[in-house]
Amino acid sequence: MESTALYQRLIAEKFLIAGPCVVEDDAIMNEIAETLEELREKFEIPVIFKASFDKANRTSVSSYRGRGMEHGLEALGRIGQKHGLPLITDIHESHQAQQAAEVVDILQIPAFLCRQTDLLLAAAETGKIVNVKKGQFLSGHDMAFVVKKLESSGNSQILLTERGNMYGYNNLVVDFRNIVDMLELGYPVVMDATHAVQRPGGAGGSSGGNRGYVPQIAKAAAIFGASGFFFEVHPDPEKALSDSPNTISLTTLRKLAETLFME
C-alpha cells in the first residue's frame, strides 16, 4: 500500500503491528503472516507485519541478532509480496534508512535511539512513515522534541510508541498517562505491550520478561486511548530467537484481538 494511503488508515482506525522480534526462517515468518492475514480479514483493520533484520542492541555479543540487512530485507520483502501485508522494521544507523525504505512501509526507531537526530532525519527524509519508540528514560511530553525533529524534514507521517519506563534496575513500568500526553502531540500512539513487560538484562546475558502481563497491559492501553497495538508473536514463544520471555503465542494474539478490535 502506498505510504500516504496507509498512514491515512492508521490515523482513522485502530490497527495492529505484530510479528517476531527478529527475522527468523521463512516457515515461521509465513505462519505468523497467515495469522495476521486472518485477523485483518476478520476485524477489517490495518495489520502490519513486524520483524527486525538486525537487533543491534542485544544484551550479549553472543545473542542472535538476525539474518543481516541484505538477507533480512529480502525475507521481509517475500512476506510482504506473498501476504499483502505492510512491513515495519528497525533501523539503527542513518545509512540504513534508504535501503530499508525500498522494502518496508514503516521505519522504526528503537527506544534507546529515539533522540538520535541524524537517525530521525534520515528516516523521515525517505518519505516513509516513521514509528518512534519512546525512550525508557523519557516522559510522553518529552517526545514533543522528537516530533519537532521529524517535522523539520517535512514528513509528518509519524507514529509514537509507548513501551514503559525504567523502574530501578532490570525492570520496566508503564505509566499510561504517557499515552494521553503523546496523543496530545497530534499523532497516533501505539502500545507496545510485549516490550513493556520486558526485564532488560534481567536474565543474566539476556533480557527477561513476563508475557503473562501482556493482555492486561494491552487492555489498559485501550482504555487510555491507544491508537494501535504492538505485539511480538511466535508459533512457539519459548523457541523465539529474540525476546522469548515477553513474546506471546499466536493463540494469545487471536484472543487479545477479540477484546481489542471486536466492536
Side-chain angles (χ1 to χ4, degrees):
M1 182 182 294
E2 194 270 335
S3 179
T4 302
L6 173 60
Y7 190 67
Q8 290 303 313
R9 287 201 68 191
L10 301 184
I11 292 174
E13 305 174 51
K14 298 290 185 184
F15 58 91
L16 171 66
I17 300 173
C21 178
V22 67
V23 171
E24 297 198 19
D25 67 56
D26 284 8
I28 288 173
M29 302 261 283
N30 278 302
E31 184 175 353
I32 294 169
E34 287 167 3
T35 299
L36 298 187
E37 279 192 273
E38 169 194 322
L39 297 178
R40 178 185 63 191
E41 300 308 313
K42 181 173 183 178
F43 298 108
E44 299 181 337
I45 57 169
V47 176
I48 299 143
F49 184 94
K50 179 268 171 185
S52 299
F53 59 79
D54 178 29
K55 296 297 290 185
N57 56 353
R58 296 301 303 275
T59 302
S60 170
V61 71
S62 61
S63 297
Y64 178 74
R65 287 181 53 168
R67 291 161 67 175
M69 189 167 190
E70 180 179 353
H71 296 298
L73 288 176
E74 287 176 356
L76 282 167
R78 289 193 293 272
I79 291 294
Q81 291 173 6
K82 181 174 181 179
H83 299 280
L85 293 167
L87 304 169
I88 181 171
T89 197
D90 293 301
I91 59 171
H92 296 85
E93 300 181 63
S94 302
H95 71 83
Q96 296 174 335
Q98 191 57 53
Q99 186 175 347
E102 294 174 3
V103 177
V104 305
D105 304 274
I106 305 174
L107 296 173
Q108 181 163 281
I109 308 299
F112 286 127
L113 301 177
C114 71
R115 298 203 306 182
Q116 295 297 104
T117 303
D118 290 345
L119 181 61
L120 290 166
L121 295 179
E125 287 166 1
T126 66
K128 295 289 184 173
I129 300 166
V130 181
N131 179 37
V132 186
K133 289 195 170 185
K134 180 181 71 62
Q136 301 92 326
F137 44 88
L138 295 179
S139 72
H141 289 301
D142 292 329
M143 291 297 284
F145 301 101
V146 173
V147 166
K148 288 178 181 178
K149 291 179 182 182
L150 294 170
E151 291 175 334
S152 74
S153 72
N155 185 348
S156 58
Q157 296 184 122
I158 299 168
L159 304 175
L160 303 174
T161 293
E162 168 61 33
R163 50 125 334 135
N165 284 79
M166 294 303 299
Y167 188 68
Y169 297 114
N170 308 124
N171 204 7
L172 297 172
V173 66
V174 178
D175 180 351
F176 290 98
R177 295 174 300 177
N178 285 326
I179 295 174
V180 178
D181 293 341
M182 287 192 287
L183 283 169
E184 291 178 354
L185 300 177
Y187 296 101
V189 174
V190 181
M191 182 69 233
D192 180 350
T194 44
H195 280 103
V197 301
Q198 189 182 60
R199 294 180 64 89
S206 62
S207 291
N210 187 339
R211 68 176 66 92
Y213 293 118
V214 169
Q216 291 88 343
I217 294 285
K219 292 171 187 176
I223 294 171
F224 276 84
S227 313
F229 301 88
F230 180 117
F231 303 103
E232 291 186 325
V233 299
H234 197 278
D236 187 349
E238 295 297 336
K239 294 181 179 179
L241 297 179
S242 178
D243 277 355
S244 171
N246 48 274
T247 296
I248 62 172
S249 69
L250 298 177
T251 299
T252 299
L253 177 64
R254 290 188 181 97
K255 291 179 180 177
L256 261 174
E258 292 282 349
T259 301
L260 299 172
F261 301 113
M262 183 69 77
E263 293 185 355

